[in-house]
Amino acid sequence: MRAAVLRISTAVLLAGPTLIAFFSGGFFDRARLVAAIVAWIGVGFVAVAADRPIPRGAPTRAAVGGLLGLGAWVLASTLWAPLAGPAWHDTQRLVLYAGVLIAAIALLRDPRAARVVEPALVAGALAIVVYGLSERLAPGLVDLIDSRSAQGRLDQPLTYWNAEGSVLAVGLVLAIRLAGTWQRAAWMRLAAAAAAPWLGAGIYLTLSRGALAALAVGVLVVVLSAPARSQLSAAALGIATAAAAACGAWLMSSVQTPPTTPRAGLAMLCWLLALSLFAALVTQRLAGRDAEDRERRTRVRLPRGTGIVAVVIVALVLAAVVVTGASQSPPAGVSAGAERLKNAGSNRYEYWDVALGMLAGDPFAGEGSGSFRVVWLRERPIREAVQDAHSLTLETGAELGVVGLALLALVLGGVGVAALRAVRERHVLAPGAAAGLAAWLVHAQLDWLWEMPAATLNAVLLAGLVLALGERTFDLREQLAAAQREGAAVRTAASAGSPGGEGRSPSLPSRTSSGAASRIIRGSSGAR
């Protein structure tokens, strides 16, 4: 009974982001409230059925404590926020995220559950993109709700194109990771490779520049954290087939800008199926070799400091985009397709300027949660009605001050430390989770993904995964330290009772425990 409760809870947890995507991404209060209730019911089940429901280890406690503290600070800000309603909605959203994170940490301690996270998120992203593309691939048979604000961009079922692009970008990053690791079953690698063209076409049709930046960063993190030839081959294949799918959508103008003609829809469907078959066949050939031997012999040795150099390059590229975009005017329309992707101009720079002014005006407590929309109407330099600053960090600082920024840093810092430790310990699940988190974090600095649970819950689940991996390492190191202390005590007792030095043999269990724990920490069992 206990095992069944945990399995059902894990299934609901992993299916949650995809299910809520079909309710406008969870943006509105009813779907969000139901999801929060379900999440905390899951926390209750975990508290009763799990072996150790309480978070362990400094990174885990920092992340959970920071998220709960952020929720409490948002709730407190209703006392000084200009509008109580948005602050209550923000509190509700944080209650949802905290419940999912706590449940995920406890449930994903089980290695079998942890291995399902990446495939579940890829399958969810694929279901979302197939649903969104259905109207374009089968016009006349499927008729989705049209959004005037989308103006042809792919936005269903989330109803916001940039959030949809984020979900698909994270899904493509995880698919590339699955296709490139020999520790996964061959059928799973083939399925992940076959999903790449569909996800690539979806990302292009959202016309989301932030999603493209997130995808680039996520793939870079995958390659750096798992520098094997099989992973490099999977990354090249995934990007190539995704780009080919995007080119097909670009060439068929009616697919790019509905209404789509039946002929174009059928041609695009055949093109996607052909690319999926090609990707699967190539991956099958790669997976058919002796994968483990190939992985060990062909692991690419990166120079020391490569990760730091990559971070600097990404930072410089983003800075160049910001500077260039600030000097350009926003694109006149969104129907130009690829032309839109060539222009870095956006009204976000005006949003960010107002947010920085809010932070400077009240640096400690901020103006209160949900206050950006009010200040924007008062100080906006352009006639546009927006509710968010389109940046997680800037909006947190503007509305919640340095206290909110400190709590957010606690959350991100705890998750980041756990992810780095997991990657260094070579957990097989670490590269994909770290890459997905990096992709989401980059996009969250450019858009209001925090307010769209369907996009952010994917990141929360990946955060729970890396924190669970860190807890497993924490537990094993505690066991190792206890075994070493016990061995030292036995050797001391033996030396005291036998001056001839017969106390050496009891040290063997300690060394054996050390070797076993080190192998488990590195993923040779459990996570693999």
Side-chain angles (χ1 to χ4, degrees), residues 228-326:
R229 295 194 185 279
S230 60
Q231 191 64 74
L232 292 173
S233 300
L237 179 64
I239 294 300
T241 54
C247 288
W250 172 62
L251 291 172
M252 303 174 195
S253 58
S254 66
V255 171
Q256 184 173 276
T257 308
T260 306
T261 64
R263 188 173 183 177
L266 179 60
M268 188 64 195
L269 176 60
C270 292
W271 179 236
L272 288 173
L273 292 174
L275 288 173
S276 295
L277 180 60
F278 171 77
L281 291 175
V282 173
T283 304
Q284 182 182 31
R285 183 170 182 178
L286 294 175
R289 303 172 186 173
D290 186 356
E292 181 174 357
D293 185 61
R294 185 179 71 252
E295 177 88 3
R296 290 176 176 174
R297 294 182 182 180
T298 62
R299 186 174 178 85
V300 179
R301 292 184 177 274
L302 299 176
R304 296 186 65 178
T306 301
I308 297 176
V309 173
V311 170
V312 172
I313 292 174
V314 170
L316 290 175
V317 170
L318 291 177
V321 170
V322 170
V323 172
T324 303

Side-chain angles (χ1 to χ4, degrees), residues 86-456:
W88 281 106
H89 293 162
D90 291 343
T91 303
Q92 187 185 81
R93 193 177 296 112
L94 282 162
V95 168
L96 167 61
Y97 295 161
V100 171
L101 181 63
I102 293 171
I105 294 169
L107 292 170
L108 300 182
R109 290 190 186 111
D110 182 356
R112 293 170 298 181
R115 289 178 66 87
V116 184
V117 175
E118 291 172 318
L121 296 185
V122 173
L126 185 61
I128 289 170
V129 75
V130 169
Y131 178 85
L133 290 175
S134 61
E135 184 180 35
R136 307 177 190 228
L137 301 181
L141 297 178
V142 180
D143 187 18
L144 303 180
I145 298 175
D146 293 328
S147 171
R148 288 186 178 181
S149 59
Q151 298 185 22
R153 288 176 283 190
L154 187 70
D155 68 332
Q156 293 294 332
L158 273 71
T159 69
Y160 181 46
W161 49 94
N162 285 326
E164 181 135 349
S166 175
V167 173
L168 303 184
V170 172
L172 182 51
V173 168
L174 296 177
I176 287 173
R177 172 55 185 163
L178 286 174
T181 175
W182 56 267
Q183 292 96 330
R184 294 289 188 174
W187 68 266
M188 187 179 295
R189 295 181 62 182
L190 269 61
W198 296 80
L199 298 172
I203 293 171
Y204 170 73
L205 290 173
T206 63
L207 298 180
S208 173
R209 293 164 291 181
L212 291 175
L215 174 62
V217 171
V219 173
L220 179 63
V221 172
V222 163
V223 171
L224 290 178
S225 56
R229 295 194 185 279
S230 60
Q231 191 64 74
L232 292 173
S233 300
L237 179 64
I239 294 300
T241 54
C247 288
W250 172 62
L251 291 172
M252 303 174 195
S253 58
S254 66
V255 171
Q256 184 173 276
T257 308
T260 306
T261 64
R263 188 173 183 177
L266 179 60
M268 188 64 195
L269 176 60
C270 292
W271 179 236
L272 288 173
L273 292 174
L275 288 173
S276 295
L277 180 60
F278 171 77
L281 291 175
V282 173
T283 304
Q284 182 182 31
R285 183 170 182 178
L286 294 175
R289 303 172 186 173
D290 186 356
E292 181 174 357
D293 185 61
R294 185 179 71 252
E295 177 88 3
R296 290 176 176 174
R297 294 182 182 180
T298 62
R299 186 174 178 85
V300 179
R301 292 184 177 274
L302 299 176
R304 296 186 65 178
T306 301
I308 297 176
V309 173
V311 170
V312 172
I313 292 174
V314 170
L316 290 175
V317 170
L318 291 177
V321 170
V322 170
V323 172
T324 303
S327 63
Q328 294 180 353
S329 59
V334 295
S335 60
E339 293 299 321
R340 172 182 171 81
L341 302 178
K342 298 178 182 178
N343 192 310
S346 172
N347 291 333
R348 282 170 174 77
Y349 306 102
E350 281 75 17
Y351 313 155
W352 297 345
D353 185 58
V354 171
L356 289 172
M358 292 173 62
L359 178 59
D362 193 347
F364 179 75
E367 300 278 353
S369 187
S371 60
F372 177 82
R373 68 192 69 191
V374 176
V375 178
W376 170 260
L377 289 175
R378 185 176 65 238
E379 302 181 4
R380 60 183 179 177
I382 57 175
R383 293 189 61 82
E384 182 183 358
V386 296
Q387 299 182 2
D388 303 285
H390 288 65
S391 171
L392 173 60
T393 303
L394 291 179
E395 184 166 334
T396 300
E399 296 185 347
L400 302 174
V402 294
V403 175
L405 285 175
L407 292 169
L408 179 63
L410 201 61
V411 177
L412 299 179
V415 174
V417 168
L420 286 174
R421 286 182 178 177
V423 169
R424 288 177 180 175
E425 297 290 352
R426 296 187 185 177
H427 281 291
V428 65
L429 304 179
L437 285 168
W440 175 87
L441 184 59
V442 167
H443 202 175
Q445 305 311 313
L446 306 172
D447 224 307
W448 46 277
L449 301 183
W450 188 255
E451 283 77 13
M452 186 64 77
T456 296

Side-chain angles (χ1 to χ4, degrees), residues 7-149:
R7 283 196 296 269
I8 293 173
S9 299
T10 302
V12 173
L13 180 76
L14 296 181
T18 304
L19 291 176
I20 202 172
F22 288 87
F23 295 90
S24 299
F27 178 77
F28 298 105
D29 54 355
R30 179 175 295 182
R32 194 171 58 233
L33 178 61
V34 171
I37 292 173
V38 172
W40 280 95
I41 290 175
V43 171
F45 286 154
V46 166
V48 174
D51 291 332
R52 294 189 305 273
I54 299 176
R56 296 169 57 84
T60 304
R61 289 170 180 167
V64 174
L67 193 57
L68 292 173
L70 188 60
W73 186 245
V74 168
L75 180 61
S77 75
T78 58
L79 298 175
W80 64 85
L83 298 174
W88 281 106
H89 293 162
D90 291 343
T91 303
Q92 187 185 81
R93 193 177 296 112
L94 282 162
V95 168
L96 167 61
Y97 295 161
V100 171
L101 181 63
I102 293 171
I105 294 169
L107 292 170
L108 300 182
R109 290 190 186 111
D110 182 356
R112 293 170 298 181
R115 289 178 66 87
V116 184
V117 175
E118 291 172 318
L121 296 185
V122 173
L126 185 61
I128 289 170
V129 75
V130 169
Y131 178 85
L133 290 175
S134 61
E135 184 180 35
R136 307 177 190 228
L137 301 181
L141 297 178
V142 180
D143 187 18
L144 303 180
I145 298 175
D146 293 328
S147 171
R148 288 186 178 181
S149 59

